[in-house]
Amino acid sequence: MRVAFYGPSRERAQRLADLLQVGAEVCWEDSRSVAVTTLVARRSAWRVLLLDFASDQYVQSADLARQLGMLVPDLPLVAVGTSDHDQANAVLAALRAGVRDFIAGDASSEDIAITLRRISTTPANPVNRPPLAPAPPREARVILLLGARAGLGVSTLAAHLGALARKPAGPAPRVPADDPQVLLLDLGQPAGDAALYLGVRSEFHFADAIHHAARLDATLVRTAMVQHESGLTLLGHPSCVPYPPQSGTMEPLLDRLCALFDTLLCDLGGLSPEQCPAALLRRADETWIVTDQSIGALVSLDTLLEQLERDGLRDGRLHLIVDRFDDSGGIDARQIAERFELPLIATIPERLQTLRASASQGLLLHHDHPRDPYLRALGPLLARIGHADAGPLQPSSPWRHLASRMGLSRWKTK
């Protein structure tokens, strides 16, 4: 099979050719001297066109991909990245430009050959979307976190659970240790709170994942989605989106995510059942409802349960978490559970000031206070997720910890 590499670097073309010594011949087309129209005229000489999406080239290559897509809509385009650690911008640019697939710079020769064979033998369909990429035969557990009302610390809880639930329980993990295992869907309101607490930011959003669901594989997850230092992968939506989409287009995305991860932890704090994606509510293995002891929260909890019952969703998957528990608060957590006929799975103590102090330094609680009662109370929840407690995380470097103590670290802005 003959393929063309269109870009300014002969060295990158040669590196690709060296990887594909058997089964494919790489022809270099210099983008500095070969016009797009000339390239199209030569298309009979090769079967797949590879575009250079290295970090110093991806903007130009994205423009070229759009031009080629308009000139020859069925042209099989594949983006080729580099081995740079941060390829997210290049991956996102490639997806939005309409390429059929993305080859990471650290991909093996076998993986590249498989991708090229698949692309060369599969014609583009009318909407220019590839067939569903092969996925491992796995099915993630889907756990939803839903607040009785806004402001009950659901996003704080989701961020800590996600960061701590980073290693599979049991002696034999189902995926390699360096592959993503836990995905946090940051879909609550206000938007992006969980990402804020984790100190991460992504340009690849939930809407992008829905649009490109058929392209999702382990490589795209690793390169396009943002990962926290703990190994937790996060996918959210920007503040300009009022709440997650309700359309049936979520189903293909959920199928892909459930095949690629061990656990989907979904932060739906601040949303009512009407605002929550119906596909998520139906797919959930467990829904954890978070409340506190206040009268307002308990009234909201009663309303929430009535809404879920009307929708046929009040069943054995619902469980109760009592957050910000205070022994002097009057009503006991067990009494709340009995009153609303929900199994109580965790009682989390009031630690608002300590949590706020850590967040103001850009840290999660276990960076500063690994033995805090809040973290000990998360043990039963981590066990239900099916992940072993791997112990407290350390700051990403001693310098970060020292800087936070000196007041030099990033401050939260919302």
Side-chain angles (χ1 to χ4, degrees), residues 34 57 74-75 78 81 90 122 129 132 138 159 179 197 257 309 322 359 371 388:
V34 178
Q57 187 63 27
D74 63 342
L75 187 66
V78 176
T122 306
R129 289 188 182 177
L132 203 63
R138 294 193 280 134
D179 280 351
Y197 298 139
L257 295 177
E309 188 161 12
V322 178
R371 302 184 186 281

Side-chain angles (χ1 to χ4, degrees), residues 20 56 78 116 118 140 143 167 269 306 321 325 347 363 365:
L20 295 172
D56 59 349
V78 176
L116 294 179
R118 185 178 74 247
I143 298 174
K167 290 187 178 178
E306 288 178 356
I321 297 172
F325 181 76
T347 302
L363 301 173
L365 187 58

Side-chain angles (χ1 to χ4, degrees), residues 283-357:
R283 193 71 167 260
D285 292 290
E286 295 188 4
T287 299
W288 299 349
I289 300 177
V290 180
T291 188
D292 64 18
Q293 297 163 285
S294 68
I295 295 299
L298 297 180
V299 170
S300 297
L301 174 59
D302 189 55
T303 302
L304 172 65
L305 292 174
E306 288 178 356
Q307 291 174 315
L308 292 172
E309 188 161 12
R310 284 197 303 270
D311 296 336
L313 296 169
R314 184 167 184 177
D315 51 32
R317 296 176 298 168
L318 302 186
H319 300 79
L320 184 67
I321 297 172
V322 178
D323 196 8
R324 299 176 180 172
F325 181 76
D326 184 349
D327 285 328
S328 63
I331 185 169
D332 185 73
R334 294 184 184 278
Q335 291 176 302
I336 297 173
E338 291 171 2
R339 161 65 181 81
F340 292 99
E341 299 179 347
L342 291 173
L344 178 67
I345 57 172
T347 302
I348 302 174
E350 167 61 64
R351 302 294 295 162
L352 184 58
Q353 282 189 318
T354 307
L355 286 164
R356 186 176 293 164

